[in-house]
Amino acid sequence: MAGRLKKQLKEAVKVIGSGSLLFASYLTLVGDERFYANQLMPLLQRFVGPETAHVLSVKMIGLGLVPLNRYQDPASLEVNVLGLKFKNPVGIAAGFDKNGEAVDGLYKLGFGFVEVGTITPKPQEGNPKPRVFRLTADQAVINRYGFNSCGLAEVHTRLKARAETQQEHSNTGLPLGINLGKNKLSPDAAADYSEGVRALGPLADYLVVNVSSPNTPGLRDLQGKAELRQLLRTVLKERDALQEEHKPPVLVKIAPDLSAQDKQDIADVVSELEVDGLMVSNTTVSRPEALQDPHKSETGGLSGQPLKDLSTKTVREMYNLTKGKVPIVGIGGVASGQDAMDKIRAGASLVQLYTALTYQGPPVVTKIKRELEQLLKDQGFSCVSEAVGADHRQAEGKS
């Protein structure tokens, strides 16, 4: 009798175990938001280191192994800016797909645009490992990758092979951005960025000049007024010389750790040279006192929730300084529709995320879009463009 009972219990455990596994597989496949955020992602993080997880994610998404995405972007999320159509304003930030290996899979996740890079002219390893750290208690990441890149030639081959596919994507409102950097040991930054423009400009819907990573020595010095003017003049000249019918707009990615004078200088240069847009912002080297995680003292750039308010404040300031005439992409701590809306109301026409993907998994993309769609309705906006810079107009109305 006891033996039979034991056998029945074993069978029951097997059935329950199989059922649980099937249910978990189903939740994984359909992209259940709460399952990813509360069970699957924390479980994966317990067993897989941050850089290994990053590499595996890129590989899996590159193979198209992504959860089902049934959400249809509504007309209210469409944005027309930089001379381009975006089906929705939520993009994947540079740093995730550094070498252009997962572009099509990222579109399948529901991103409205994909930005690859940062790409340096020559291949380089980046900084020694470990170089990326999860601050789980703070929903943040610190990285000091240091522009690890396979180089322009390999990325060019990869993107050229899918150029027709990208043209179709771009025509339907899914543009591709390419983020350019300089090699660590290069003595001539302008030559490095120019080489990037020549090699990858013809394959890009927009280009980003990244002068704000904290992990390449001397890079942030290029944000100084004289240095930035000289660099951007060279880059824009190179862009204008491209033999393309559509010459890609050029945007500059800036740090959140800038003085008031730095921001004014950048706004002056961008307006003077008619740079097409600003990416605001990169990671921060500051460490808010509220950080809890033991990794908080690691060297590198901090991203995720603790960057959110600082980057939104920088979006607000740059919108003011450029009088709302220069399109802004808001980056830093976007993990919900409200986060996206805050940046849009502060002056961003588009937003990007990366760290939220680490903690909430692929379903975060649809979650943000769905919440943003509802917030636009609730606040009386018929589309994203109507909400861009709304906080500034509200403040003017009160004064």
Side-chain angles (χ1 to χ4, degrees):
M1 180 73 178
R4 206 165 109 209
L5 190 62
K6 201 172 172 184
K7 195 178 173 187
Q8 284 175 334
L9 271 170
K10 267 188 180 172
E11 290 299 322
V13 167
K14 260 190 206 168
V15 170
I16 292 166
S18 303
S20 301
L21 186 63
L22 277 171
F23 186 54
S25 302
Y26 166 75
L27 293 175
T28 304
L29 181 67
V30 298
D32 184 86
E33 288 163 22
R34 278 178 295 193
F35 173 69
Y36 268 82
N38 301 330
Q39 270 89 38
L40 186 59
M41 299 311 287
L43 182 70
L44 289 174
Q45 287 177 8
R46 278 179 61 189
F47 297 106
V48 186
E51 184 160 352
T52 304
H54 179 186
V55 171
L56 286 173
S57 299
V58 172
K59 292 274 183 262
M60 287 183 73
I61 294 171
L63 290 167
L65 300 173
V66 299
L68 296 173
N69 174 26
R70 293 195 187 94
Y71 180 84
Q72 294 290 314
D73 292 335
S76 62
L77 291 189
E78 186 178 308
V79 179
N80 288 278
V81 70
L82 300 166
L84 301 167
K85 173 184 161 186
F86 296 79
K87 273 180 82 175
N88 72 72
V90 183
I92 178 77
F96 179 76
D97 187 6
K98 287 174 176 283
N99 299 314
E101 298 169 285
V103 179
D104 297 299
L106 287 163
Y107 288 127
K108 278 175 80 174
L109 290 186
F111 284 109
F113 59 112
V114 169
E115 187 173 317
V116 300
T118 296
I119 302 153
T120 57
K122 295 184 181 73
Q124 63 177 32
E125 290 290 323
N127 291 322
K129 299 175 185 178
R131 53 192 180 177
V132 56
F133 308 89
R134 294 189 195 107
L135 280 67
T136 309
D138 307 297
Q139 294 285 289
V141 167
I142 289 174
N143 93 78
R144 50 171 181 265
Y145 273 120
F147 284 175
N148 50 315
S149 172
C150 68
L152 290 173
E154 189 176 316
V155 176
H156 180 273
T157 302
R158 194 171 287 131
L159 295 182
K160 182 79 176 165
R162 56 171 300 285
E164 281 184 31
T165 303
Q166 184 55 52
Q167 192 57 59
E168 288 168 21
H169 283 319
S170 301
N171 291 343
T172 60
L174 299 171
L176 175 70
I178 300 180
N179 186 300
L180 303 172
K182 70 177 278 291
N183 282 112
K184 184 178 180 178
L185 301 176
S186 171
D188 190 343
D192 276 22
Y193 289 102
S194 296
E195 198 179 332
V197 174
R198 282 194 300 274
L200 297 179
L203 296 166
D205 289 306
Y206 71 85
L207 291 168
V208 179
V209 177
N210 185 354
V211 288
S212 51
S213 165
N215 303 314
T216 296
L219 189 77
R220 285 190 168 191
D221 297 343
L222 296 172
Q223 293 173 120
K225 193 169 191 177
E227 294 86 350
L228 189 65
R229 185 187 278 121
Q230 190 180 345
L231 173 65
L232 290 177
R233 202 172 261 149
T234 306
V235 167
L236 291 168
K237 194 175 169 187
E238 206 65 63
R239 186 274 312 267
D240 292 341
L242 290 173
Q243 300 300 304
E244 304 304 305
E245 192 183 329
H246 168 77
K247 295 185 178 10
V250 170
L251 296 89
V252 186
K253 189 163 186 176
I254 65 171
D257 313 305
L258 296 166
S259 68
Q261 187 61 53
D262 290 335
K263 289 176 223 181
Q264 181 65 64
D265 289 347
I266 289 167
D268 290 346
V269 170
V270 163
S271 301
E272 175 199 333
L273 298 180
E274 297 182 345
V275 173
D276 299 287
L278 285 165
M279 314 286 293
V280 184
S281 69
N282 215 314
T283 57
T284 178
V285 292
S286 69
R287 295 292 182 267
E289 281 183 24
L291 290 179
Q292 304 288 314
D293 201 276
H295 286 306
K296 65 184 178 184
S297 55
E298 290 289 347
T299 302
L302 173 73
S303 62
Q305 286 304 292
L307 173 61
K308 179 170 65 179
D309 293 344
L310 178 60
S311 71
T312 303
K313 178 172 170 279
T314 311
V315 167
R316 198 180 307 283
E317 289 168 342
M318 295 314 294
Y319 184 89
N320 257 333
L321 291 168
T322 55
K323 301 180 175 58
K325 291 176 182 170
V326 178
I328 293 171
V329 181
I331 318 147
V334 175
S336 69
Q338 187 63 59
D339 297 337
M341 190 62 159
D342 289 346
K343 281 187 167 47
I344 290 164
R345 291 188 62 110
S349 296
L350 304 164
V351 298
Q352 288 180 331
L353 62 92
Y354 175 178
T355 304
L357 203 58
T358 303
Y359 288 101
Q360 297 186 46
V364 72
V365 185
T366 296
K367 184 192 88 162
I368 291 171
K369 294 193 295 182
R370 198 184 61 246
E371 290 173 356
L372 180 59
E373 179 190 357
Q374 190 58 49
L375 285 165
L376 288 167
K377 274 184 200 159
D378 294 347
Q379 295 178 26
F381 299 113
S382 65
C383 62
V384 171
S385 301
E386 281 183 14
V388 174
D391 287 350
H392 300 267
R393 295 188 288 280
Q394 201 171 13
E396 283 164 18
K398 285 178 183 173
S399 60

